[in-house]
Amino acid sequence: MCGICYILSFSVCPRVDDVLKGATFHCLTRRGPSSSHQLIKSVNDLGYHCLFLGQVLHLRGPLTPQPTEDKNSNIFLWNGEVFGGLHVGNMDNDTRVMLCHLSSCNSESEILSLFSSVQGPWAFIYYQATEHCLWFGRDFFGRRSLLWHFSSDLEKAFCLTSVSALVPEPNDYLWQEVPASGIFRIDLKTCAASKHVLLTWYPWKYATADYITKDISQDNVDEMANALPKFVSVVRSETGLSLIVPVAPLNRTLPISSAEHHCTVSTTTATAEDLQIFLSDGHRKKLVHQLIDALDKAVKKRVVCLPRCTDPSRTLTQAPKSSERRANVAILFSGGIDSMLLAVLADHHIPLEEPIDLLNVAFMMKSKNQQTGSGKTHIRQKLPSASLSCPEHSQTLDILNGALHSPFNVPDRITGRAGLKELEAINPSRTWNFVEINITLEELKEMRQQHITVLVQPLDTVLDDSIGCAVWFASRGIGFTNNNGEQPFTSMAKVVLTGMGADEQLAGYSRHRVRFKAHGLEGLVEELGMELSRISSRNLGRDDRIIGDHGKEARFPFLDEDVVSFLNSLPIWDKVDLTQPRGIGEKLILRAAAKELGLTASAVLPKRAMQFGCRIAKLENNNEKASDKCKRLQSLSTQNVAISLQE
Ligand SMILES: *[C@@H]1O[C@H](CO)[C@@H](O)[C@H](O)[C@H]1NC(C)=O
Ligand SMILES: *[C@@H]1O[C@H](CO)[C@@H](O)[C@H](O)[C@H]1NC(C)=O
Ligand SMILES: *[C@@H]1O[C@H](CO)[C@@H](O)[C@H](O)[C@H]1NC(C)=O
């Protein structure tokens, strides 16, 4: 994870000191604590000046300071990981490898084919010296954050940054996430002459001809242009060049007799036997194993190649005992099926003597007295209706409502501990650090104001606030373990695996059931197609800013290009069956995979949204809609920045 930043000026050279004193610089430093550099490029005769700033979090290969510059004065800032498509040797740094390829590109189309071929998350800024061009963009899913800001002020006409702590002046334009809808080029020479920022857009396009017309329409350009100030324009590249989408298109095939897939939803309780039935079909069993294979490779790529045992003061003979060692990999862990699968697969590839940190966050529940009257019904409303019919879950509810020993025994804590038991049974020789992260209202308020608000922006809903805060505390990894009695524990793992993307692809959310009931399989397929296309703007930029703030890097195995391609290639009926109850029907193929990998109870746990599972959604205000603008984020932002700037 790195923090990258770029400022374009049409008047004077941007003043490094101004930038370095600001709160944004502080945020960028938190993302990339390993090295910090700036570079200024002033082209006086053409009238443009650029400032490049790079903060690096060192993860593999030799530390490569950023910005990097080649012998032709091309300048490159890279916040990404090459997991495939280009060869990066174990001891190489991907920043260097990328710049090397870029330097040898002689045309636009070569640059585009380079970014089409890279697999993995990225956001980049590239200055092509001879052409006086600036290129920038985010990967197809938008797994790395990049924000832009335009201003009529010639001194800071255009800025790009991984994260911004600046709240715009009243009449200023807002910071926005750079759309992950392609990459962009600015011809600096032309723009300097006209004092006008013109963006050339190269969209993503599917390789298959059928999809071309569908994806590229004037609408996209207009939509983008509408969100920008008047003095900025966006045009589709005249050459018609585009990037090739790195994943296979979604299989939209529907069953021939869709009557069979009638939308009556069974309300029985999910059991592992239901998975057995699914697996008894030879074809399906084969698909399940193909999925396991793809996911296993995706996890492997994300947990190997980390600096291990590189401490030169230690020789092999004095290697520390397993329980004293530090984990290199942590997992955002609720004990639900997604995080359980990641844990099992990570266990296959991480050296046995290295612990794995399971980060489990809980927000303090109000005690029963404070919750009088309506409290009980509230919890009931928030839990899935299907689980209410099940006696075990009613029992859980009773625990939640009253007989609690600790106000932190939230649903995700309970399933997390149960998940830990399953993992210990699967691999008793591994040290599993189950990190109990207990957060009080006071701490939530304090950290939201000091850190989280600026990271969430420009997103601003109640849901963004809940998830942003929950993920921030979880990935910070400060809590307690119970391996030898309750002890304070801080996770030092720089890589954080998250299950993001599983629900979007495999119909995990309740809105999928709503859609299916109303519009059948066709509606469901349409919904799933739409979900992946908006995951960048809904989730991933935000999560990257949040997790990166701890100098850690989020990695998303369910969004690996090969995993997505495999799932996209399957017809809907091989992946999910929403006529089956919750706990089976959604993410059906994933549940079958979990069962094949030896998981038991967790394989049939119904999906529970994070904000409810960790109880953050109940802590402050019960009467808000997830999509409402969050007042706690708004009122704090100006105040917060005022404080940071005074420091
Ligand atoms: C990695 O970065 C270092 C430092 O910038 C550089 O010396 C080295 O050649 C790079 N490795 C590769 C393979 O590019
Ligand atoms: C954290 O919460 C758990 C309940 O889930 C409780 O058992 C534990 O004692 C708490 N730890 C601290 C330090 O509050
Ligand atoms: C979509 O699924 C159907 C049914 O399995 C299959 O016949 C077809 O080849 C798939 N299409 C693609 C593009 O993968």
Side-chain angles (χ1 to χ4, degrees):
M1 180 73 45
C2 303
I4 59 180
C5 176
Y6 168 85
I7 297 172
L8 171 64
S9 162
F10 294 133
S11 58
V12 292
C13 228
R15 285 182 298 259
V16 178
D17 280 357
D18 286 358
V19 181
L20 297 192
K21 274 194 216 122
T24 299
F25 178 71
H26 178 68
C27 291
L28 290 167
T29 314
R30 288 175 60 92
R31 290 175 64 89
S34 313
S35 97
S36 168
H37 287 272
Q38 310 86 40
L39 206 151
I40 287 188
K41 189 94 204 167
S42 251
V43 183
N44 287 313
D45 51 341
L46 295 180
Y48 73 85
H49 312 268
C50 308
L51 170 73
F52 301 82
L53 193 138
Q55 294 293 136
V56 176
L57 171 68
H58 181 220
L59 282 173
R60 66 177 181 185
L63 173 69
T64 310
Q66 295 200 32
T68 42
E69 189 172 4
D70 68 9
K71 59 180 189 312
N72 300 321
S73 305
N74 298 315
I75 298 170
F76 185 51
L77 286 166
W78 174 249
N79 175 23
E81 293 285 351
V82 178
F83 287 133
L86 280 187
H87 177 74
V88 181
N90 277 354
M91 292 312 293
D92 287 355
N93 41 63
D94 51 356
T95 311
R96 275 273 143 201
V97 174
M98 282 299 298
L99 178 57
C100 223
H101 281 274
L102 279 169
S103 307
S104 64
C105 286
N106 289 317
S107 63
E108 283 174 32
S109 73
E110 283 177 28
I111 291 184
L112 293 169
S113 66
L114 175 64
F115 284 102
S116 302
S117 66
V118 175
Q119 295 196 342
W122 47 261
F124 78 96
I125 299 167
Y126 176 57
Y127 170 72
Q128 209 181 3
T130 46
E131 309 289 324
H132 300 283
C133 273
L134 187 83
W135 294 78
F136 61 92
R138 299 164 71 194
D139 74 80
F140 181 68
F141 298 120
R143 286 165 287 187
R144 291 289 177 257
S145 169
L146 194 63
L147 308 178
W148 64 18
H149 180 261
F150 302 88
S151 153
S152 47
D153 168 10
L154 293 180
E155 201 180 319
K156 281 182 189 164
F158 175 66
C159 307
L160 288 167
T161 179
S162 305
V163 50
S164 165
L166 292 179
V167 173
E169 304 287 315
N171 295 320
D172 204 357
Y173 285 90
L174 301 175
W175 284 90
Q176 296 170 323
E177 293 190 331
V178 172
S181 53
I183 64 176
F184 298 87
R185 184 174 57 87
I186 296 179
D187 183 334
L188 297 169
K189 199 164 144 186
T190 318
C191 289
S194 63
K195 306 274 190 267
H196 173 101
V197 177
L198 174 68
L199 300 167
T200 305
W201 174 49
Y202 302 84
W204 292 103
K205 225 190 220 183
Y206 281 97
T208 357
D210 306 356
Y211 287 83
I212 291 177
T213 41
K214 201 165 180 300
D215 289 349
I216 316 302
S217 65
Q218 189 58 37
D219 291 357
N220 292 130
V221 186
D222 293 347
E223 200 180 299
M224 215 182 311
N226 285 339
L228 297 171
K230 296 273 173 296
F231 54 87
V232 181
S233 26
V234 189
V235 292
R236 172 89 165 76
S237 97
E238 282 164 25
T239 49
L241 290 171
S242 45
L243 298 148
I244 306 295
V245 174
V247 295
L250 182 64
N251 190 331
R252 291 171 190 265
T253 311
L254 294 172
I256 298 160
S257 65
S258 52
E260 279 170 33
H261 294 256
H262 203 58
C263 312
T264 44
V265 177
S266 143
T267 50
T268 52
T269 313
T271 65
E273 274 92 81
D274 298 313
L275 294 178
Q276 203 54 56
I277 298 170
F278 183 82
L279 284 162
S280 63
D281 175 314
H283 169 67
R284 287 192 163 162
K285 185 160 180 155
K286 196 178 113 207
L287 298 180
V288 167
H289 281 272
Q290 285 175 334
L291 173 60
I292 292 178
D293 194 46
L295 260 180
D296 189 62
K297 289 197 176 101
V299 170
K300 182 177 179 185
K301 281 181 206 169
R302 287 162 176 77
V303 302
V304 299
C305 272
L306 293 168
R308 291 199 159 91
C309 309
T310 44
D311 184 351
S313 65
R314 295 217 194 243
T315 63
L316 275 179
T317 46
Q318 31 166 207
K321 282 207 301 265
S322 162
S323 55
E324 294 166 6
R325 289 184 95 128
R326 285 206 311 214
N328 284 306
V329 176
I331 300 170
L332 292 190
F333 188 78
S334 66
I337 171 162
D338 309 338
S339 57
M340 285 296 283
L341 267 173
L342 294 181
V344 169
L345 296 173
D347 180 48
H348 291 177
H349 303 292
I350 294 173
L352 190 56
E353 62 281 4
E354 188 178 303
I356 296 177
D357 292 347
L358 306 171
L359 309 177
N360 182 270
V361 66
F363 290 85
M364 188 153 103
M365 291 184 287
K366 291 174 195 156
S367 73
K368 202 187 174 191
N369 310 348
Q370 288 169 278
Q371 245 187 18
T372 45
S374 63
K376 186 158 183 167
T377 38
H378 238 101
I379 289 184
R380 283 186 175 261
Q381 280 167 4
K382 292 275 161 78
L383 282 174
S385 54
S387 65
L388 285 177
S389 57
C390 148
E392 289 147 64
H393 281 93
S394 323
Q395 236 171 37
T396 317
L397 272 185
D398 288 341
I399 298 174
L400 290 175
N401 280 331
L404 282 174
H405 297 299
S406 160
F408 295 108
N409 277 335
V410 302
D412 279 0
R413 179 61 48 83
I414 296 166
T415 51
R417 284 187 180 147
L420 172 67
K421 291 257 149 48
E422 282 187 47
L423 293 173
E424 284 170 342
I426 288 175
N427 189 351
S429 333
R430 165 84 59 195
T431 303
W432 299 98
N433 292 323
F434 183 69
V435 190
E436 300 193 350
I437 299 163
N438 298 348
I439 305 298
T440 60
L441 180 59
E442 292 67 42
E443 196 176 1
L444 169 64
K445 285 185 165 165
E446 190 186 336
M447 291 299 123
R448 179 193 281 122
Q449 176 171 353
Q450 283 182 16
H451 297 286
I452 305 170
T453 300
V454 292
L455 301 170
V456 172
Q457 74 159 348
L459 305 199
D460 59 4
T461 67
V462 167
L463 187 65
D464 292 319
D465 173 57
S466 299
I467 307 261
C469 292
V471 171
W472 192 86
F473 282 106
S475 55
R476 186 176 66 161
I478 298 181
F480 293 83
T481 53
N482 255 312
N483 292 351
N484 305 303
E486 191 166 273
Q487 281 182 351
F489 183 89
T490 300
S491 171
M492 304 298 279
K494 283 188 181 167
V495 167
V496 179
L497 299 180
T498 103
M500 175 59 71
D503 291 308
E504 285 75 5
Q505 296 179 78
L506 293 168
Y509 293 115
S510 52
R511 59 174 178 264
H512 294 125
R513 287 197 179 251
V514 172
R515 191 70 196 255
F516 176 64
K517 266 191 198 155
H519 302 283
L521 272 183
E522 192 171 355
L524 177 62
V525 171
E526 215 170 276
E527 174 78 21
L528 293 182
M530 190 257 291
E531 303 246 325
L532 258 195
S533 65
R534 67 175 189 194
I535 196 170
S536 65
S537 55
R538 283 240 172 169
N539 309 89
L540 295 177
R542 177 196 66 209
D543 292 350
D544 175 60
R545 290 190 293 280
I546 293 279
I547 297 176
D549 190 53
H550 302 297
K552 299 181 179 184
E553 178 165 298
R555 295 188 176 176
F556 313 97
F558 288 104
L559 291 171
D560 178 84
E561 286 79 354
D562 294 336
V563 171
V564 175
S565 285
F566 175 71
L567 288 174
N568 272 0
S569 75
L570 301 183
I572 185 77
W573 64 84
D574 280 333
K575 295 185 276 196
V576 306
D577 179 359
L578 295 191
T579 65
Q580 302 253 16
R582 290 179 46 95
I584 287 285
E586 77 279 13
K587 301 194 270 195
L588 179 58
I589 189 173
L590 209 59
R591 296 177 185 282
K595 183 165 195 309
E596 289 292 272
L597 287 166
L599 294 175
T600 51
S602 59
V604 290
L605 273 184
K607 160 74 187 173
R608 192 170 40 224
M610 182 177 198
Q611 66 275 26
F612 302 130
C614 70
R615 279 286 180 264
I616 189 172
K618 296 199 58 68
L619 197 52
E620 286 168 298
N621 196 335
N622 293 327
N623 302 320
E624 295 170 328
K625 283 219 298 282
S627 55
D628 288 348
K629 284 219 185 313
C630 180
K631 293 189 206 77
R632 294 177 294 283
L633 290 175
Q634 284 169 355
S635 57
L636 284 168
S637 45
T638 19
Q639 209 183 341
N640 177 21
V641 168
I643 291 167
S644 325
L645 287 175
Q646 272 164 21
E647 275 172 2

